[in-house]
């Protein structure tokens, strides 16, 4: 920033109310400048408004009417918009005079635009206007011709400047700035004139022209003022002579010769600018040549058509053309025309016109020829065309398209559906071409509603095309009805209306109504009045609805093809409240504690409660009496009521019924049913209780049934508790037996241990007293030692077994005998032979492998099994073995023996 504030300028002294201009004095520097003023110290800048204005033309600061707040130092800041550098002028003090205040005076224009201002096309024009005055003048703008300002014109800086962007011809004219206050007004005027540099409308392009031809080169430009033109050839001024003329910028050269070739330049200019366009002119001379533009080798046309033969060899100057067919010269007649461009036209072609046509092209430099072969074919005709059809959704149809055509021609079939080309790959699930080479039949499988429309078969060859169209109407079940509405609602009815949907080309015959509630399983058909709604009716009354239930309705249309898609649901509506009509079902009861009458029922579902405030009225009386006792249960979900009273006798019959009510009133009662009051628990203990040890892990407890009257209720059964020496009676285990049983087996006990047990009866009211305690001691466990050294001997079907005796330990039960278990490898069940010695004899059919094991038997149960032995089916008439070792010879049998062992252990 350059700073020239080295010394203070002389003070400017003014009266309050007077106008003042502070001069900037910008530095002599080229380029665009912008101006601002600092008030006292940076960064306090003078803010422009209707009273203060900084001109961007002069840089001066204008104050229309000085106020005391304006007193201070003012510094002009000049900025170069190109370099963004700043220069500060010297400060100018502004002081007020003390000899009075300036009186009012009319506006005095200090900033105004030139009387004439040229403006370039497309530029942005800014006009400034500002006046001193007291009061502060108001500024307005207008065109002298009275035309309104277009919207692009903007007023800025409190109307001190007008801005016209993208200046055009219509913006030119006389503009006025009107400054006005209460003391008068003054006007500044200035004319904006429009100018435009030349701008090309038509430029010249490189061109190649035959010798002796004429050249016309158009060169045009716009501009204001209108541009003038001049031409250069190879950089030098083009001289005008007889052959060479320039008119309105266009250059004409007649009878071109080779010396006219060169680089030409067209120059358009006005006082605001110059533009030029250049191009190359090549004057050429050559004999006719077909190499770059050969004639067609073959043309195929059908009888009766018109054919054009082209003959356009490259030739400078242009060649003259003559035509032959075969060796015969052709002349014009009613069917043959020699065209101006050298071509040949033959109209209404016949089979006899087929052959070779030769064009002979000649100019002064030489001659050339070219030939085209003409093939004349029969026209293509559709012999079987598609016809209009009427089908139902899901059917399959064939649209025929068969033709007769010239055998020389290849033929293609294409189908259009509603104006679009059919894509047989994309639509393969529905569309397929069928038929032979001369057939383009279209098959449509599983036809759908979307396939309704116009079908066009297009047949094309190299020389012609024919088409035939048919309309296909697909009839389907109706579309969904629309705008379903509930017009009126009561407690059990709803008035429904709707608008018809699409009938899909088959008139609607009936409508049906469906409803859905929060309690229904999906949509259910409902009863209407009338019961059958015909296809011309769009309103109905739905009946037999439940009161106080939220419903949605939808409509289904049907036609002779079937039922259609349902409509969208109506808005949800709730039926009005009503007195409940359905009492609870399954009214029953019984059980409970002493002096109780328990009454139960299935609660009424919400959709049958018919309104708010739903509850139950429970009524009961002893059988044989006339007065009902009633009570109210206010919860709709409650399934039972218990009446307690010491006067209730055990197992006494009561007549019971349960009614319903809501805010609308009371509904019906259920039918009367008999319910018994609570039973009395048994009062006596079972007698004759005995306990017997069965094995090392089980005992049996038995008793005599207690006397019981059916009038006291139903005896449910007996409870048996048991405990051993090491347990406390309070923590005893318990098992139950049914009411008709008088004994029970208790298993899973420990061996050689005394168990105590007692029995009591129970019913729904509770349990009676326990019997006296009895006890039994479980047996000692069976021996853990299995029978050893099992030996077998086979003679014919007789198998003799022997084994070592098992001796029981002191804490084990004595051996009372042995069990021999045997089965075949294919047999499911196990056979058992008992013996009290250490030998056994079996008679076996040895058609299969046998598996055998031996166990000791005791009072405490069976002992451990011996090792399993196998007697193979291949055993000879005299074979023997010991233990499982023999089976080592038969590896498969050994494997099966293991399986048997696992199965046997799980069974036993």
């Amino acid at each position: 920033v350059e700073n020239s504030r080295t010394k203070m300028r002389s003070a400017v002294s003014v009266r309050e109310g007077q106008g003042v201009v502070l001069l900037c004095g910008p530095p002599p520097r080229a380029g665009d400048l912008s101006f601002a003023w600092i008030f006292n110290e940076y960064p306090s800048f003078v803010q422009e408004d209707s009273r203060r204005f900084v001109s961007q033309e002069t840089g001066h600061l204008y104050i229309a009417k000085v106020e005391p707040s304006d007193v201070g130092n003012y510094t002009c800041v000049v900025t170069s918009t190109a370099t963004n550098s700043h220069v500060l002028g010297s400060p100018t003090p502004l002081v007020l005079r003390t000899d009075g205040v300036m009186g009012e005076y009319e506006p005095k224009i200090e900033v105004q635009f030139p009387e004439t201002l040229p403006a370039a096309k497309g530029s942005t024009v800014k006009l400034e206007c500002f006046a001193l005055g007291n009061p502060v003048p108001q500024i307005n703008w207008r065109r002298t011709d009275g035309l309104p300002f277009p919207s692009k014109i903007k007023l800025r800086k409190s109307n001190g400047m007008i801005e016209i962007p993208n200046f055009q011809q219509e913006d030119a004219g006389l503009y006025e700035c009107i400054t006005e206050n209460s003391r008068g007004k003054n006007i500044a005027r200035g004319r904006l004139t429009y100018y435009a540099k030349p701008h090309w409308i038509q430029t010249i392009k490189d061109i190649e022209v035959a010798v002796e031809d004429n050249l016309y080169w158009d060169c045009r430009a716009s501009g204001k003022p209108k541009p003038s033109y001049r031409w250069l050839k190879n950089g030098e001024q083009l001289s005008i002579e007889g052959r060479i003329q320039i008119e309105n910028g266009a250059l004409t050269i007649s009878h071109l010769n080779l010396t006219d070739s060169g680089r030409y330049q067209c120059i358009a200019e006005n006082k605001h600018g110059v533009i030029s366009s250049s191009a190359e002119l090549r004057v050429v001379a050559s004999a006719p040549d077909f190499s770059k533009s050969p004639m067609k080798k073959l043309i195929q046309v059908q009888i009766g058509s018109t054919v054009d033969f082209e003959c356009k060899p490259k030739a400078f100057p242009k060649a003259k053309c003559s035509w032959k067919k075969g060796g015969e010269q052709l002349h014009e007649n009613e069917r043959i025309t020699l065209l101006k461009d050298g071509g040949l036209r033959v109209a209404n072609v016949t089979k006899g016109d087929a052959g070779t046509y030769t064009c002979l092209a000649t100019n002064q430099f030489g001659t050339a020829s070219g030939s085209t072969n003409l093939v004349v074919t029969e026209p293509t005709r559709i012999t079987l065309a598609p016809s209009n059809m009427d089908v139902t959704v899901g059917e399959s149809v064939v649209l025929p398209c068969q033709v007769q055509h010239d055998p020389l021609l290849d033929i293609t079939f294409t189908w259009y559906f509603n104006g679009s080309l059919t894509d047989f790959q994309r639509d393969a699930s529905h569309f397929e071409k069928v038929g032979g080479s001369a057939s383009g039949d279209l098959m449509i499988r599983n036809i759908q509603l979307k396939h309704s429309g116009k079908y066009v078969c297009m047949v094309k060859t190299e020389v012609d095309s024919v088409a035939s169209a048919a309309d296909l109407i697909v009839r389907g079940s109706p579309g969904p009805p629309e705008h379903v509405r509930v017009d009126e609602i009561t407690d059990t009815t709803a008035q429904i209306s709707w608008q018809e949907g699409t009938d899909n080309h088959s008139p609607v015959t009936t409508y049906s109504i469906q409803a859905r509630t929060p309690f229904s399983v999906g949509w259910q058909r409902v009863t209407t009045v009338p019961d059958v709604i015909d296809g011309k009716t769009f309103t109905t009354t739905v009946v037999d609805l439940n009161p106080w239930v939220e419903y949605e309705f939808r409509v289904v249309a049907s036609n002779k093809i079937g039922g259609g898609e349902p409509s969208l649901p109506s808005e949800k509506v709730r039926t009005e409240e009503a007195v409940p009509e359905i009492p609870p079902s399954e009214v029953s009861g019984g059980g409970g504690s002493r002096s109780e009458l328990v009454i139960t029922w299935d609660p009424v579902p919400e959709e049958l409660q018919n309104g708010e405030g739903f509850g139950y009225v429970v009524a009961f009386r002893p059988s044989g009496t006339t007065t009902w006792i009633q009570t109210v249960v206010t919860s709709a979900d409650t399934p039972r009521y218990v009446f307690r009273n010491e006067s209730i006798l055990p197992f006494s019959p009561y007549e019971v019924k349960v009614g319903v009510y809501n805010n609308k009133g009371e509904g019906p009662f259920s039918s009367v049913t008999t319910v018994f009051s609570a039973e009395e628990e048994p009062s006596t203990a079972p007698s004759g209780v005995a306990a017997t040890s069965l094995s090392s892990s089980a005992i049996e407890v038995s008793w005599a049934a207690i006397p019981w009257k059916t009038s006291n209720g139903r005896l449910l059964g007996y409870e048996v508790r048991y405990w051993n020496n090491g347990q406390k009676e309070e923590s005893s285990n318990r098992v139950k037996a049914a009411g008709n049983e008088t004994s029970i087996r208790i298993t899973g006990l420990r061996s050689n241990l005394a168990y105590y047990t007692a029995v009591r009866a129970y019913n729904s009211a509770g349990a009676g007293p326990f019997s006296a305690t009895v006890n039994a001691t479980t047996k000692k466990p069976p021996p853990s030692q299995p029978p050893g050294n099992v030996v077998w001997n086979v003679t014919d079907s007789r198998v003799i077994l022997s084994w070592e005796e098992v001796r029981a330990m002191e804490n084990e039960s004595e051996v009372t005998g042995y069990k021999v278990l045997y089965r075949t490898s294919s047999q499911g069940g196990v056979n058992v032979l008992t013996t009290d010695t250490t030998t056994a004899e079996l008679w076996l059919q040895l058609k299969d492998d046998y598996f055998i094991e031996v166990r000791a038997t005791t009072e405490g149960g069976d002992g451990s099994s011996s090792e399993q032995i196998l007697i193979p089916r291949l055993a000879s008439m005299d074979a023997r073995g010991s233990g499982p070792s023999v089976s080592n010879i038969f590896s498969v049998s050994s494997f099966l023996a293991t399986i048997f062992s696992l199965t046997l252990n799980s069974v036993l």
Side-chain angles (χ1 to χ4, degrees):
V1 176
E2 298 180 33
N3 194 337
S4 49
R5 300 176 68 177
T6 51
K7 60 174 185 168
M8 191 76 74
R9 285 185 177 181
S10 301
V12 176
S13 180
V14 294
R15 289 192 180 96
E16 182 181 347
Q18 184 179 349
V20 68
V21 181
L22 301 181
L23 305 182
C24 179
R29 176 171 294 184
D32 290 335
L33 303 176
S34 66
F35 302 92
W37 283 78
I38 295 172
F39 179 54
N40 288 331
E41 292 294 335
Y42 177 84
S44 175
F45 285 90
V46 173
Q47 299 299 311
E48 294 181 80
D49 53 24
S50 61
R51 196 171 62 83
R52 293 170 293 191
F53 183 84
V54 177
S55 170
Q56 296 302 317
E57 296 292 333
T58 65
H60 304 334
L61 170 61
Y62 301 82
I63 302 177
K65 172 190 168 190
V66 173
E67 295 178 353
S69 60
D70 295 327
V71 172
N73 294 325
Y74 290 83
T75 304
C76 178
V77 181
V78 185
T79 302
S80 166
T81 54
T83 63
N84 204 29
S85 58
H86 311 286
V87 176
L88 273 61
S90 300
T92 301
L94 179 65
V95 298
L96 283 183
R97 288 169 56 169
T98 57
D99 57 351
V101 176
M102 184 77 173
E104 293 186 352
Y105 64 97
E106 69 179 23
K108 179 188 176 189
I109 296 177
E110 288 287 347
V111 180
Q112 69 182 80
F113 47 97
E115 287 186 15
T116 302
L117 181 64
K121 175 186 177 182
S123 63
T124 296
V125 179
K126 296 178 181 177
L127 305 180
E128 292 184 336
C129 181
F130 193 76
L132 311 183
N134 186 4
V136 174
Q138 284 203 342
I139 302 172
N140 288 296
W141 295 80
R142 73 179 182 196
R143 286 179 62 121
T144 306
D145 59 12
L147 289 174
F149 285 161
S151 60
K152 70 177 182 177
I153 293 182
K154 308 296 180 191
L155 292 170
R156 305 197 183 282
K157 298 171 74 165
S158 301
N159 290 9
M161 184 180 80
I162 186 173
E163 184 178 297
I164 309 171
N166 190 23
F167 190 80
Q168 300 296 323
Q169 177 86 52
E170 60 268 19
D171 297 320
L174 198 59
Y175 286 75
E176 293 182 355
C177 163
I178 304 105
T179 64
E180 188 173 9
N181 66 8
S182 59
R183 307 297 294 178
K185 98 173 151 178
N186 269 306
I187 300 176
R189 294 182 179 88
R191 180 175 298 279
L192 287 178
T193 60
Y194 172 84
Y195 73 87
K197 297 176 183 178
H199 179 76
W200 284 122
I201 298 172
Q202 175 75 53
T203 59
I204 58 174
K205 302 283 191 301
D206 292 348
I207 192 169
E208 195 176 75
V209 188
V211 67
E212 295 184 6
D213 276 2
N214 297 328
L215 169 70
Y216 178 79
W217 240 348
D218 194 10
C219 175
R220 276 179 290 137
S222 63
K224 183 76 181 219
K226 186 176 180 182
S228 61
Y229 301 92
R230 53 194 174 91
W231 284 77
L232 304 180
K233 178 186 176 186
N234 297 331
E236 295 182 0
Q237 190 73 31
L238 183 64
S239 55
I240 308 298
E241 50 163 307
R243 287 190 316 114
I244 302 174
Q245 296 294 324
I246 300 174
E247 185 177 354
N248 292 329
L251 171 64
T252 305
I253 305 178
S254 309
H255 304 294
L256 286 165
N257 58 52
L258 295 175
T259 62
D260 292 324
S261 297
R263 185 147 206 83
Y264 288 76
Q265 197 171 15
C266 173
I267 298 170
E269 57 191 321
N270 65 14
K271 63 181 180 180
H272 301 294
V274 180
I275 55 175
S276 67
S277 173
S278 62
E280 187 81 22
L281 169 63
R282 288 185 66 230
V283 180
V284 290
S286 68
D289 179 11
F290 282 97
S291 62
K292 294 283 177 25
S293 54
M295 292 176 62
K296 285 185 179 177
K297 284 191 167 47
L298 176 70
I299 295 179
Q300 288 184 320
V301 294
Q302 68 178 28
I303 294 172
S305 61
T306 297
V307 61
D308 284 349
F309 297 90
E310 279 191 350
C311 181
K312 293 182 178 178
K314 186 175 181 182
F316 300 101
K318 182 179 174 184
K320 291 183 179 179
C321 297
S322 61
W323 286 86
K324 288 182 179 181
K325 181 194 172 198
E328 181 186 347
Q329 190 75 31
L330 292 176
H331 302 285
E332 287 196 345
N333 58 30
E334 67 274 7
R335 291 200 305 118
I336 297 176
T337 306
L338 298 175
L339 302 175
K340 288 182 179 179
D341 64 358
L344 172 68
R345 175 172 294 161
V346 180
N348 194 17
V349 172
T350 67
K351 278 280 190 181
D353 293 324
T356 301
Y357 289 76
T358 302
C359 171
L360 189 67
T362 304
N363 69 8
Q364 65 264 46
F365 300 108
T367 300
S369 66
S371 296
T372 297
N373 191 36
L374 177 65
V375 175
V376 181
T377 61
E378 296 284 346
T380 305
R381 292 187 302 109
I382 294 180
T383 56
L384 183 57
S387 58
N388 295 342
M389 296 186 76
D390 191 319
V391 297
T392 301
V393 166
E395 292 181 351
S396 295
V397 297
V398 174
L399 297 178
C401 186
Q402 297 179 14
V403 298
Q404 186 177 56
H405 66 98
D406 194 296
L408 292 174
L409 299 176
D410 291 328
I411 192 166
T412 59
F413 293 89
T414 49
W415 282 89
Y416 291 84
F417 171 49
N418 289 340
S420 298
L421 183 65
T422 301
D423 186 334
F424 285 93
Q425 284 190 327
R426 192 186 65 198
D427 298 324
S429 59
H430 293 289
F431 292 133
E432 182 186 353
K433 272 187 193 169
V434 294
S437 60
S439 171
D441 295 355
L442 172 65
M443 173 177 276
I444 310 175
R445 287 192 179 89
N446 186 22
I447 207 160
Q448 300 298 308
L449 290 170
K450 64 182 179 181
H451 296 134
S452 286
K454 182 180 284 296
Y455 288 81
V456 177
C457 175
M458 179 75 71
V459 186
K460 288 185 179 180
T461 68
E462 298 95 319
V463 298
D464 64 349
S465 66
V466 288
S468 183
D471 288 319
L472 189 64
I473 296 174
V474 182
R475 305 189 188 279
S477 54
E482 299 174 348
H483 308 299
V484 177
R485 213 172 59 241
V486 181
D487 299 320
E488 191 179 326
I489 193 91
T490 69
D491 57 347
T492 59
T493 69
Q495 185 79 26
I496 311 293
S497 65
W498 61 92
Q499 294 177 10
E500 60 183 326
T502 56
D503 66 5
N504 293 328
H505 308 116
S506 179
V508 174
T509 53
T510 59
Y511 289 99
S512 61
I513 312 299
Q514 297 176 349
R516 178 171 67 181
T517 73
F519 317 108
S520 65
V521 180
W523 291 91
Q524 305 291 330
R525 184 164 180 169
V526 290
T527 307
T528 59
V529 175
D531 186 38
V532 177
I533 308 164
D534 68 50
K536 299 296 182 185
T537 302
F538 307 112
T539 182
T540 190
T541 300
V542 180
V543 297
D544 298 339
L545 301 178
N546 290 328
W548 197 240
V549 170
E550 194 173 64
Y551 280 90
E552 292 174 278
F553 298 96
R554 70 181 186 185
V555 184
V556 179
S558 299
N559 58 18
K560 67 178 182 180
I561 292 163
E565 186 182 340
S567 69
L568 292 174
S570 68
E571 290 187 357
K572 293 180 180 179
V573 291
R574 187 182 281 276
T575 47
E576 295 176 355
E577 292 183 276
V579 172
E581 297 177 351
I582 307 295
S585 60
E586 302 298 328
V587 176
S588 182
S593 302
R594 185 197 294 263
S595 302
E596 286 184 349
L597 175 63
V598 178
I599 302 168
T600 61
W601 59 89
D602 282 353
V604 175
E606 187 179 342
E607 65 265 32
L608 299 177
Q609 293 173 7
N610 290 10
E612 292 188 302
F614 182 85
Y616 303 97
V617 179
V618 182
F620 54 94
R621 65 188 179 190
S623 292
T625 63
T626 56
T627 305
W628 290 97
I629 304 168
Q630 289 195 357
T631 186
V632 171
V633 176
T634 58
S635 170
D637 298 328
T638 299
R640 70 201 303 266
Y641 171 71
V642 179
F643 176 64
R644 295 181 181 85
N645 195 295
E646 292 299 327
S647 65
I648 294 178
L649 297 175
F651 207 61
S652 298
Y654 280 76
E655 292 178 339
V656 171
K657 60 182 180 179
V658 180
V660 286
Y661 73 92
N662 63 16
N663 289 347
K664 282 286 189 179
E666 288 190 22
F669 277 94
S670 66
S671 56
V672 176
T673 187
T674 300
V675 173
F676 285 85
S677 61
E679 304 172 24
E680 189 174 24
E681 65 270 15
S683 57
T684 60
S687 61
V689 178
T692 307
S693 176
L694 299 178
S695 69
S696 61
S697 61
I699 62 173
E700 184 175 75
V701 181
S702 60
W703 59 89
I706 66 169
W708 188 259
K709 296 179 185 175
T710 54
S711 60
N712 291 340
R714 189 163 65 90
L715 179 66
L716 292 180
Y718 296 91
E719 180 184 272
V720 179
R721 66 173 181 173
Y722 62 95
W723 65 100
N724 61 37
N725 257 337
Q727 292 177 309
K728 294 184 179 177
E729 187 176 345
E730 299 76 36
S731 61
S732 58
N733 298 304
R734 296 166 191 252
V735 292
K736 286 186 175 180
N740 59 351
E741 293 180 359
T742 56
S743 67
I744 193 168
R745 179 175 290 196
I746 302 172
T747 59
L749 305 178
R750 290 162 59 188
S751 62
N752 198 24
L753 194 61
Y755 280 88
Y756 300 89
T757 180
V759 184
R760 64 178 176 179
Y762 70 94
N763 63 5
S764 64
F770 273 109
S771 68
T773 300
V774 297
N775 67 74
T777 301
T778 52
K779 309 285 188 184
K780 292 180 181 180
S784 57
Q785 177 196 350
N789 196 20
V790 180
V791 176
W792 57 271
N793 191 310
V794 177
T795 302
D796 293 332
S797 297
R798 182 165 165 255
V799 178
I800 298 173
L801 297 167
S802 63
W803 55 88
E804 291 179 352
E805 181 183 0
V806 176
R807 299 187 182 279
M809 307 282 287
E810 188 177 339
N811 61 346
E812 293 176 339
S813 292
E814 287 297 324
V815 175
T816 58
Y818 296 91
K819 282 181 183 176
V820 178
L821 298 94
Y822 60 98
R823 75 173 184 91
T824 65
S825 58
S826 60
Q827 187 180 345
V830 178
N831 300 302
V832 180
L833 173 72
T834 58
T835 177
D836 54 3
T837 67
T838 57
T839 61
E841 186 175 313
L842 301 174
W843 289 88
L844 304 177
Q845 295 292 326
L846 291 176
K847 295 177 181 178
D848 210 340
D849 294 341
Y850 271 88
F851 301 102
I852 298 177
E853 62 182 54
V854 182
R855 297 178 187 171
T857 57
T858 71
E859 284 188 345
D862 290 351
S864 301
S865 293
S866 67
E867 288 190 351
Q868 207 168 65
I869 64 170
L870 169 88
I871 299 178
R873 59 188 171 88
L874 300 179
S876 64
M877 291 187 59
D878 189 4
R880 66 183 65 243
S882 170
S885 57
V886 176
S887 65
N888 291 341
I889 306 167
F890 308 95
S891 56
V892 174
S893 300
S894 174
F895 171 73
L896 291 172
T898 309
I899 300 250
F900 166 74
S901 174
L902 293 172
T903 308
L904 194 63
N905 288 339
S906 64
V907 170
L908 301 176

